[in-house]
């Protein structure tokens, strides 16, 4: 699917082949947060290349981890509110929950 189609329809596809529709606002919020995280990671990389003190780098990495946790929560909330609810209405809740459990097994430590 092309990027313009994603923007135009707010649809995207997961590997499991289901069509998921999310609000443009939610997608923009998640993408903006990921872009900020990406910039923060570049900043940490620069800190390391400049041989900044390890405690400073660790503090920044903790901030990145917190940001990743927050965006992960947004994605999970979106999935529960939109995708799982839709699967329940469409009658394929068991499959959707199994896919979510599998993803959480890989995501959680």
């Amino acid at each position: 699917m092309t990027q313009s189609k994603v923007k135009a329809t707010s649809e995207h596809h997961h590997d499991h082949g289901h069509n998921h529709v999310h609000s443009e606002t939610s997608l923009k919020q998640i993408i903006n947060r990921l872009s900020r995280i990406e910039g923060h990671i570049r900043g940490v990389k620069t800190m390391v290349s400049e041989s900044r003190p390890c405690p400073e780098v660790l503090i920044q990495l903790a901030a990145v981890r917190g940001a990743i946790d927050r965006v992960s929560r947004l994605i999970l909330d979106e999935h529960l509110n939109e995708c799982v609810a839709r699967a329940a209405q469409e009658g394929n809740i068991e499959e959707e929950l199994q896919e979510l459990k599998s993803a959480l097994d890989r995501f959680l430590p």
Side-chain angles (χ1 to χ4, degrees), residues 5 7 13 20-21 34 58 83-84 95 101 103 105-106:
K5 174 128 180 160
K7 286 183 180 178
H13 298 278
H20 292 288
V21 181
L34 290 171
L58 290 172
C83 304
V84 173
E95 180 183 350
K101 286 178 188 178
D105 284 345
R106 296 181 80 186

Side-chain angles (χ1 to χ4, degrees), residues 4-67:
S4 61
K5 174 128 180 160
V6 171
K7 286 183 180 178
T9 64
S10 298
E11 294 180 9
H12 62 280
H13 298 278
H14 295 277
D15 290 338
H16 50 76
H18 296 187
N19 190 24
H20 292 288
V21 181
H22 298 282
S23 75
E24 191 71 24
T25 302
S26 293
L27 291 176
K28 283 182 180 179
Q29 182 182 29
I30 290 167
I31 289 168
N32 286 342
R33 285 178 181 243
L34 290 171
S35 294
R36 284 196 301 270
I37 291 167
E38 185 178 32
H40 203 152
I41 290 289
R42 281 193 304 273
V44 173
K45 184 178 174 183
T46 299
M47 290 176 73
V48 171
S49 70
E50 294 173 351
S51 297
R52 298 281 292 274
C54 293
E56 288 181 23
V57 173
L58 290 172
I59 289 168
Q60 291 308 308
L61 287 172
V64 168
R65 184 186 309 142

